[in-house]
Amino acid sequence: MATHNPDHCLFAVPKKGRLFEKVSDMLRGAGVDYHREPRLDIALCKDLDMTMVFLPAADISKYVGEGDVDIGVTGIDIVEENGLEVERVMDLGFGKCRLCVQAPVTSNITDVKSLAGKRIVTSFPSLTKKFFDPLDKEMGVTTSIRYVSGSVEAACGLGLADAVVDLVETGTTMKAAGLEIVATVLHTESVLITNPNSKHKNIVELLKNRIEGYITSKKFVMVTYNCSPDVLAAVTKITPGKRSPTITQLTDGGHAVSSLVKKGDVVKVMDELHAAGAHDILVMELSNSRIVTKHYEARFGPSQRDVHSPPVSEESNPTMMIGPDSREDDQIALSALVRTVMIIDTDTRENVAS
């Protein structure tokens, strides 16, 4: 049975559902190793002074904000709804969706102002009130907001509401209920958050670096190839890398080039390299990395953000910072057996095979 060490950093993660699966995969890839006993909601990490706590996603921001746990993973929507002050360490890139005002298609509502003063059902009463308060003030009415814990989309069909405020990911559930989006309240995704007063800043930073390295490695592949000196300038323009490609002089007078390429672009890049005169082209998957990326610090709080303002992003956040300088090519872990694509000239086949 796992017993929490009071000196350990406490890390809260969702205990079940799709978010639990996504977080588990991410932590496994980031090298956070732990063993969770069946039916237990606590587990000790093997190589870190950290204890995992498995909680409902809706409660995690409360525990982090109140200082009961040091760090956690939950959605921006839940953090904003609870209104507690937490520090946003990093966006995780999954669980993306929108919190939207939705009304029956048959109502033909195109302006959200027409719903001010009406009946709204939602699982996010605080965010809904923040959204409708300015509209109520403008229209001189009071919107009725009713909380339900689930099956929000059924409220209009049951005659309980004129519209609902609920999360939309693919829109399948919304369309099946005969609803359509009238306005967007909030863009959300899963985020890593911490308590501003946590005493485990070193573990929080280490965890952030590990997760960031894993997420980045899933976005890129390493492309390596050989080329002659006369095409070196042309091929390196095709593969500039995140900072610059790594170029090695070969004994035959040619060059070996290694560079990071976004996964979605790799097939096109290979075609361009081949056409430009590169040969022996290999594509290797990355298992982990430590690569400089843009990051920022943001803090959520009761009055930090207006729901009518655009979502915070890396491009618009004025507190964005650049991390310490480092090379890209000597800080990447390549998996032992990788997906490899080779285009090998007949006269160099023996040399490459060796």
Side-chain angles (χ1 to χ4, degrees):
M1 180 175 178
T3 303
H4 168 56
N5 185 328
D7 294 327
H8 277 197
C9 176
L10 281 172
F11 184 13
V13 297
K15 66 185 300 181
K16 60 183 180 180
R18 285 183 297 174
L19 190 54
F20 164 75
E21 295 170 1
K22 290 278 189 181
V23 173
S24 296
D25 290 343
M26 177 189 73
L27 294 178
R28 191 178 303 113
V32 179
D33 193 12
Y34 62 88
H35 175 67
R36 181 186 181 188
E37 295 288 346
R39 298 183 179 276
L40 282 183
D41 288 335
I42 188 171
L44 301 179
C45 289
K46 296 182 179 180
D47 66 337
L48 293 172
D49 292 333
M50 186 168 71
T51 300
M52 310 295 297
V53 185
F54 301 88
L55 300 169
D59 296 336
I60 289 176
S61 67
K62 293 179 183 178
Y63 282 100
V64 174
E66 293 172 357
D68 298 309
V69 299
D70 298 281
I71 192 167
V73 174
T74 190
I76 294 174
D77 53 312
I78 295 172
V79 175
E80 295 271 15
E81 175 66 21
N82 289 333
L84 295 170
E85 185 177 354
V86 298
E87 189 175 308
R88 181 172 170 179
V89 179
M90 63 183 297
D91 298 346
L92 299 176
F94 53 81
K96 292 184 177 181
C97 54
R98 291 182 292 162
L99 184 64
C100 297
V101 180
Q102 306 165 40
V105 176
T106 54
S107 298
N108 295 317
I109 296 174
T110 57
D111 188 351
V112 72
K113 290 182 181 180
S114 64
L115 290 171
K118 303 293 186 179
R119 300 170 302 156
I120 309 294
V121 165
T122 183
S123 297
F124 298 87
S126 295
L127 283 172
T128 302
K129 187 176 186 302
K130 286 181 184 177
F131 182 84
F132 277 98
D133 275 353
L135 303 179
D136 287 355
K137 186 176 181 180
E138 180 182 345
M139 305 296 290
V141 295
T142 301
T143 300
S144 172
I145 299 171
R146 182 177 178 181
Y147 170 81
V148 295
S149 60
S151 300
V152 177
E153 71 282 352
C156 291
L158 294 173
L160 302 176
D162 299 300
V164 300
V165 174
D166 199 12
L167 293 172
V168 178
E169 186 175 3
T170 62
T172 303
T173 302
M174 176 186 68
K175 292 175 183 176
L179 303 175
E180 63 182 354
I181 295 173
V182 179
T184 298
V185 176
L186 181 74
H187 291 263
T188 182
E189 68 175 288
S190 297
V191 289
L192 187 70
I193 59 173
T194 185
N195 185 284
N197 302 313
S198 172
K199 297 178 181 179
H200 300 280
K201 297 292 186 183
N202 57 331
I203 293 182
V204 171
E205 185 64 21
L206 176 63
L207 193 61
K208 172 187 171 294
N209 290 337
R210 286 192 181 188
I211 293 173
E212 192 173 61
Y214 171 72
I215 291 174
T216 302
S217 74
K218 298 299 104 179
K219 296 178 181 178
F220 292 88
V221 292
M222 179 66 76
V223 175
T224 68
Y225 55 89
N226 295 336
C227 68
S228 59
D230 57 315
V231 301
L232 180 62
V235 294
T236 51
K237 283 184 179 179
I238 299 171
T239 57
K242 282 182 68 65
R243 294 183 61 202
S244 66
T246 298
I247 302 171
T248 305
Q249 181 78 46
L250 300 178
T251 56
D252 64 0
H255 296 90
V257 181
S258 300
S259 184
L260 289 177
V261 174
K262 287 185 177 180
K263 273 189 176 181
D265 299 337
V266 67
V267 175
K268 180 182 176 182
V269 166
M270 289 174 63
D271 292 338
E272 292 178 358
L273 286 172
H274 190 219
H279 49 88
D280 310 338
I281 304 172
L282 310 178
V283 178
M284 292 173 279
E285 298 282 354
L286 309 179
S287 63
N288 213 324
S289 72
R290 292 295 185 273
I291 300 174
V292 173
T293 57
K294 295 179 181 179
H295 66 278
Y296 58 88
E297 292 180 353
R299 186 167 293 183
F300 293 100
S303 59
Q304 295 295 318
R305 186 174 174 277
D306 181 352
V307 291
H308 292 273
S309 64
V312 176
S313 68
E314 291 187 15
E315 290 77 13
S316 64
N317 194 332
T319 59
M320 182 174 66
M321 300 184 300
I322 304 297
D325 188 25
S326 65
R327 277 183 58 84
E328 66 180 38
D329 299 321
D330 60 357
Q331 298 191 46
I332 298 169
L334 300 179
S335 51
L337 294 175
V338 297
R339 181 178 66 86
T340 304
V341 183
M342 303 179 68
I343 303 174
I344 303 177
D345 291 349
T346 306
D347 7 337
T348 61
R349 186 181 302 275
E350 182 179 346
N351 196 22
V352 171
S354 61

